[in-house]
Amino acid sequence: EIGMDIYTLDIDSGNTTRLTHTFDDWDESGHYSPDGRRIAYLSSTPYPAEGSNDNWWSWGKGDYWLMSVDGAEKSQLTYFNTPGTLDYMGLRVMSAYIAWSPDGKRLAIGNVIENPDLSTRDEILLIDFGDNAFECGNGACEIGENSSNCIEDC
């Protein structure tokens, strides 16, 4: 196993709950949404590991994901490393930083991008879910105009 998973810890009982189960992927940096109902996190899923933890930088790539606080309903938010998608950059991207806005309608993300000469550069982007972010309607949430990226259980 070369991956990392995300857990929660119940301070009172000391019990942990595993939220992700990706043995060969890196799931990390989980951040609770301001309303406490969702967790945004970084993941190397669906990009397979191509080496060991010792040289992860030579193969690692990642994107941003969202899940409910019980670990259910995982949804990929970005596709920087997936050819044929609008987010695809044509360069290797490693998700690196993440922070919610206080109102939960935006997510600041930071990427490390590998240039063709193997140097790297940082990039900060803002995911704006719009005014109707995560509002329940007909039993489903909506994020802007793309409800496929939304947690179903409001």
Side-chain angles (χ1 to χ4, degrees):
E1 180 175 319
I2 63 171
M4 294 187 291
D5 283 310
I6 297 175
Y7 293 78
T8 58
L9 169 66
D10 182 306
I11 300 278
D12 295 331
S13 69
N15 293 328
T16 58
T17 302
R18 189 177 194 168
L19 300 180
T20 59
H21 301 270
T22 53
F23 298 102
D24 292 326
D25 298 342
W26 287 29
D27 298 327
E28 59 181 298
S29 300
H31 284 55
Y32 281 91
S33 61
D35 66 6
R37 294 178 14 202
R38 288 169 258 331
I39 298 173
Y41 64 103
L42 320 176
S43 182
S44 66
T45 302
Y47 315 109
E50 299 172 5
S52 68
N53 281 342
D54 294 336
N55 68 344
W56 69 270
W57 182 247
S58 68
W59 56 265
K61 12 179 159 170
D63 274 299
Y64 297 88
W65 287 69
L66 195 63
M67 68 177 149
S68 57
V69 293
D70 63 358
E73 299 174 330
K74 294 170 184 71
S75 178
Q76 190 171 349
L77 291 175
T78 63
Y79 295 85
F80 297 123
N81 295 288
T82 304
T85 64
L86 292 176
D87 294 346
Y88 183 61
M89 301 182 73
L91 301 168
R92 186 165 61 101
V93 176
M94 189 66 182
S95 50
Y97 319 103
I98 192 167
W100 286 95
S101 64
D103 63 6
K105 293 181 180 181
R106 286 168 294 286
L107 203 57
I109 59 174
N111 294 325
V112 177
I113 301 166
E114 183 180 69
N115 297 311
D117 66 0
L118 302 183
S119 65
T120 60
R121 61 186 164 93
D122 293 342
E123 170 184 74
I124 298 173
L125 301 171
L126 188 64
I127 298 174
D128 190 336
F129 298 115
D131 289 336
N132 62 342
F134 307 116
E135 292 177 3
C136 291
N138 299 325
C141 297
E142 296 177 347
I143 297 177
E145 295 179 12
N146 186 357
S147 61
S148 66
N149 285 340
C150 190
I151 302 296
E152 294 292 330
D153 183 19
C154 292

